[in-house]
Structures are given as structure tokens and as C-alpha cells.
Amino acid sequence: MPYARFADDAHRWATERAVTLWACFSGDLTPADLETIAAEAGAIKADGARFALIVPDGKTSNASEAALVDLVVAGPAAPSPFGLFAALEAADVANVRQLGVFGASEAALDAATRAGAGAIVGIAPAAPEARRPLVFAQPDVIIAPSEFAALDAGRYASGRAHRQRVLLNPGPSVVTDRVHRAIGGPDLCHREPEYSDILQRVRSRLLDVAGVDDDWAMVMLAGSGTAAMEAMVGGATRPGRKLLVCRNGIYGERIETIARRLGIETVIVSASDLEPIDPAAVERALAANPEVDAVAVIHHETTTGLLNPVHEVAAVANRHDTLVLVDAISSLGAEELDLNGTGIDFVASTSNKCLHGLPGASFVLVSPRGQGRIAETPPRSLYFDLPNYLKAQKKRTVPFTPAIPALYSLDAALDELFDEGLAHRQATYQARMDYLDREFARLGLEPRVPKGCRSRSVRSLPLPDGVGYAALHDALKSEGYVIYAGLGDAAATTFRVCALGALTVEALEGFIAALERAMRQAAPLLA
């Protein structure tokens, strides 16, 4: 977990408990605390969890301990973790992440940390002076004994709401344990060389993913992909000039909104959200508006899963000596995007979509020509002043505090991408959508975007007859899958399925089976 690899993964995630074995050390909790927990432990046990007690050699459990636990295991006292391993073996629980440990002492909680337990719960009265000694043990939570059953139900039981699911939304995506572990890196000052080394490594990898030379710049921002969009738009258009926006979906509209709020006049070339931007229309607009300074186009318009002909648009703009801005937020890493020599000067993207990192880090790639443009464009923002970032990077620093955990995750995600190979990643995306397209056709759900301009990750689909989005969403979520609503005028009649992140075709087989069940359940209502 959490790689969505097999067809039954989502079902397991949707139905299984997070903690199947609760363990404590003999003598650690008072009889009164144990009796309070035992009074409500019946529901926890009925839900499939068991309680284990670790008893050191030469000692025996007391009556309160015996009344709570299901098995008693011989093992060393805390802070040794080996008694916990013995409890796992005795309970036949193979995954230490399904072990929960509760205790009233720093030693007991320290043993849980050493063992790598999936849940560590401190037991203490509500008063801060009673809980303060346990803070240094770093449990996940400190509760009173009377709160144990409610905590289990809310965080660890089979019916808990907050749990891992297969995300079929257009980001954030499911990411691997490797990426999740990376954010647990050491606390780091961004003014130290260790941070600069990570940033430089990420920059080098991103340039490799984009297939550009080292003369391209990279600016890392703490924020979502929209932050990168705003920085790109603000830096590319000089005062008194205009931005041509290619608009055929919500994200084209977003660039238009950003430009207007920055005081940049726009020229719009529009199409429906099911129709790619026509390069000839861009040609006509540029010919009629010589004051246009740059052209902005969405590569993958996730409103519908539509790909725009960014290279053809760039070729037109190049003939007019006009710079080109590309929103590749949901395409970089999955779609073909040639940059060198194509006339594209700015690329905005983010860590948490096709690169399989976590949210919080976005970036702008800037060509040498683009770097010249931002140098002569007065900044419209303090935070999104791209030349200021580049100036700081030359000194191996950054102007503002970055999202270091998000950068840790992106660093690990890029390592993972290069271990896999970019071509393989792109082929995997294509294989997933080929499978989904075949299955959607079998179910009578025709993607709204024509075949020739569909992306490798997103499909906009008509809702099944008689089925509202909310009902379909909830039925699939109950089985472990999260789909996404349609946007704009199509919200009432469509839904989206987005195959991003750490999931396989086999996992999507489970989704299709769940979708088919949801459609069958709705069929009698239509009869």
C-alpha cells in the first residue's frame, strides 16, 4: 500500500481495518484505565481487531489486563520492540503497519516507534500537565481512556471515513510508499547547501523530463499548479502589450482570469471544450493584433481530457515572433511535449499529477528567450517575480521559504520516474486509457472527446441513463474509487475518470467491475 496494483486493492482499502492488532505492555496502564478501555472494546473486537499483552518473563498479567486482551505474549518490557514483534507473530499479522500500540509511558510509546507500528496512542488524562511527559514520545495522538473506542472508530476501524482510496480524479494522484516515505526527511533550513543540492538535482531531472538543454531555467514555487500559471503569465507579457489566450475549457478561462487580474489585456481564441484550438484561428488573431506579446495555450485541458495542438500553435506564434506559454500541469510526464526548437518558451507544471509527487510544489520552465523576456518585464507580484527566483538561485538560495516536504516528494518521484523510464511511463498511461476506452465502449459510455485528440489520462463521459453524479460517486466511493464531476455546463450530465498516479490496468479492472455494478443497480429504477 498505497500502490493500486491489483483488482482487489480498492476493495481491501475500502473495507479493511487500518489496525488489526492493538498491543500494550503489562504493568504500563493502571487497572482503572484498562477497565475503561475494556468496557467499550467489544465493538472494536467485533470489527475484527484483537488485543495483545506483552508480559516479561517471570511476571503474570493482572485481572484488568486479562479482561481486556485476547492473547498474552512473552516478551521483554518496553522500550524493547521485540515483544511487539512476538505479538505480531502470535496474532499472525504480517504487516507491522497494522499494529497499534497504546500506552501510558514514554517507554511503551518509544518501543512502538522502534517497531514501526502503524498507530501509536498515548493514554493520559486531559490535563496538559498529565500529557506533557508523553509529548516527547511523539505518539500519533494522546487521549483519555474513555476516548479509545471513539478514536478506533474514527481512525482505524473498517468503517472509518478517512482512508486510502484509488483516486480517479485529475490530481492529486495516488503515490507510492517510496514518495510518502520521502516527506519524512529531516527538518531542513532552505538557506543551507543541503537544500540547494536537492533543488539543483530536481532542476536537472525536470529538464531531462522536458528534454531541454541546461540553458533552460527552472523556478520552483510553493503552491499548486495555478501558482506556476500566474507566475508564467505575469512574467511573459510586457506593459502595454496583450496576451493571446487559447480558451477551450476551464483552465484556458483560468489563464484569462489571471491575466485580467494582473492588468494584462487579452485577445481570445476560443473553441468548444470538445474541440482543439485551431492554429489557423491563432494565425488570424495574431495578424489582426500585432500588439500581442505572447500566446498562452493549455496542453491538456482536463475539463474534458482534450489535447491541444501546442506545437502547431507555437509554430504559428513563432512566425509572428511571439513567445508561447504552455500549461503542462496535467501532461508533463504522460504526454509527448517537444520543447527544443519548437518556439515554446514557458512551461508551467506541478509535482502532483503525472510526475506522481505530492501537492505543494509547482514550477515554471523558461527557455533562454523566455529568460530575456522576464528580465525586461517589470514584476507584477512580489511572490511570483521569476527573475528574483533566478537571481537567488545563482547564489544557491531562494527568496522565500519553500515547501520542503513537497520538494522531498518530488525528488523521490523523479527518481522513481527515471528508474521506470520516461518512455515506459508514457506507454503505461496509454495502456491504461486504451483499456478504459475499450471497457467504456462495452458499457455504452462514449468519451465526449473525439479519438484523435484524447489525452492519455482523462476521460469525460456521459452519466449512465437515469443516474445522477452524486449517486454514482457515492456508490463507487463505497467500493474504494473516487471519480470526478464534470465542469461547466456539462456538470449535470457528465463525469470524469482520470487514470493518474500509481495504479495499474489490473487496478482499473476492479474499477470497471464496480462501475458496472453501479449501473446495474440503477437499471431496475429505470424499468
Side-chain angles (χ1 to χ4, degrees), residues 363-376:
F363 54 90
V364 183
L365 305 179
V366 189
S367 74
R369 186 170 69 158
Q371 293 166 51
R373 170 61 58 82
I374 63 175
E376 62 178 327

Side-chain angles (χ1 to χ4, degrees), residues 32-103:
D33 287 350
L34 289 164
E35 289 163 10
T36 299
I37 294 171
E40 295 186 327
I44 300 172
K45 295 180 181 183
D47 192 48
R50 287 180 288 172
F51 285 78
L53 179 73
I54 295 99
V55 180
D57 290 340
K59 293 189 177 182
T60 59
S61 59
N62 60 45
S64 299
E65 292 169 340
L68 170 64
V69 303
D70 304 288
L71 64 157
V72 176
V73 179
S80 170
F82 295 107
L84 297 172
F85 298 143
L88 286 168
E89 185 175 20
D92 196 27
V93 175
N95 186 352
V96 72
R97 292 165 71 171
Q98 293 179 316
L99 169 68
V101 179
F102 60 101

Side-chain angles (χ1 to χ4, degrees), residues 478-495:
S478 70
E479 295 206 42
Y481 302 95
V482 175
I483 58 172
Y484 220 52
L487 287 174
D489 295 338
T493 58
T494 67
F495 70 106

Side-chain angles (χ1 to χ4, degrees), residues 273-276 301 303-307 437 446-455 458-461:
D273 61 8
L274 302 177
E275 179 185 8
E301 181 54 82
T303 303
T304 56
L306 174 72
L307 288 179
D437 284 344
E446 179 66 23
R448 298 171 62 231
V449 170
K451 285 185 179 180
C453 46
R454 293 176 186 170
S455 76
V458 176
R459 292 292 180 267
S460 174
L461 301 156

Side-chain angles (χ1 to χ4, degrees), residues 240-469:
R241 307 295 291 273
K242 297 180 181 179
L243 177 70
L244 190 153
V245 179
C246 299
R247 186 186 67 193
N248 59 343
I250 294 296
Y251 296 96
E253 292 177 8
R254 183 169 296 181
I255 284 189
E256 179 188 4
T257 299
I258 289 170
R260 288 180 174 172
R261 291 194 179 185
L262 292 175
I264 300 170
E265 191 174 348
T266 59
V267 173
I268 306 300
V269 172
S270 62
S272 80
D273 61 8
L274 302 177
E275 179 185 8
I277 293 295
D278 182 3
V282 176
E283 178 86 65
R284 292 191 294 271
L286 288 173
N289 296 275
E291 66 275 24
V292 167
D293 216 19
V295 173
V297 59
I298 310 298
H299 186 203
H300 176 208
E301 181 54 82
T302 53
T303 303
T304 56
L306 174 72
L307 288 179
N308 278 311
V310 294
H311 296 110
E312 291 83 350
V313 169
V316 168
N318 226 27
R319 290 197 292 271
H320 290 263
D321 196 27
T322 303
L323 275 65
V324 177
L325 290 61
V326 172
D327 170 347
I329 288 170
S330 60
S331 66
L332 188 67
E335 308 290 346
E336 301 290 343
L337 180 61
D338 296 328
L339 296 177
N340 274 337
T342 61
I344 294 172
D345 297 289
F346 295 85
V347 176
S349 196
T350 186
S351 61
N352 65 295
K353 295 186 186 287
C354 302
L355 297 178
H356 303 183
L358 291 169
S362 62
F363 54 90
V364 183
L365 305 179
V366 189
S367 74
R369 186 170 69 158
Q371 293 166 51
R373 170 61 58 82
I374 63 175
E376 62 178 327
T377 302
R380 294 178 167 92
S381 165
L382 173 66
Y383 191 74
F384 296 132
D385 180 0
L386 294 179
N388 193 32
Y389 282 86
L390 297 181
K391 180 180 177 180
Q393 284 176 203
K394 287 181 180 179
K395 299 177 181 178
R396 285 179 56 82
T397 186
V398 288
F400 308 106
T401 304
I404 294 173
L407 188 67
Y408 276 151
S409 85
L410 179 56
D411 189 27
L414 290 169
D415 284 344
E416 192 170 66
L417 172 57
F418 280 87
D419 290 341
E420 177 185 351
L422 180 60
H424 185 272
R425 169 72 59 86
Q426 293 173 341
T428 297
Y429 267 79
Q430 187 63 58
R432 294 194 299 217
M433 298 316 292
D434 288 345
Y435 166 76
L436 286 176
D437 284 344
R438 290 193 300 270
E439 292 301 306
F440 291 148
R442 180 177 65 81
L443 296 175
L445 300 174
E446 179 66 23
R448 298 171 62 231
V449 170
K451 285 185 179 180
C453 46
R454 293 176 186 170
S455 76
R456 291 171 172 164
S457 60
V458 176
R459 292 292 180 267
S460 174
L461 301 156
L463 285 163
D465 290 342
V467 181
Y469 172 74

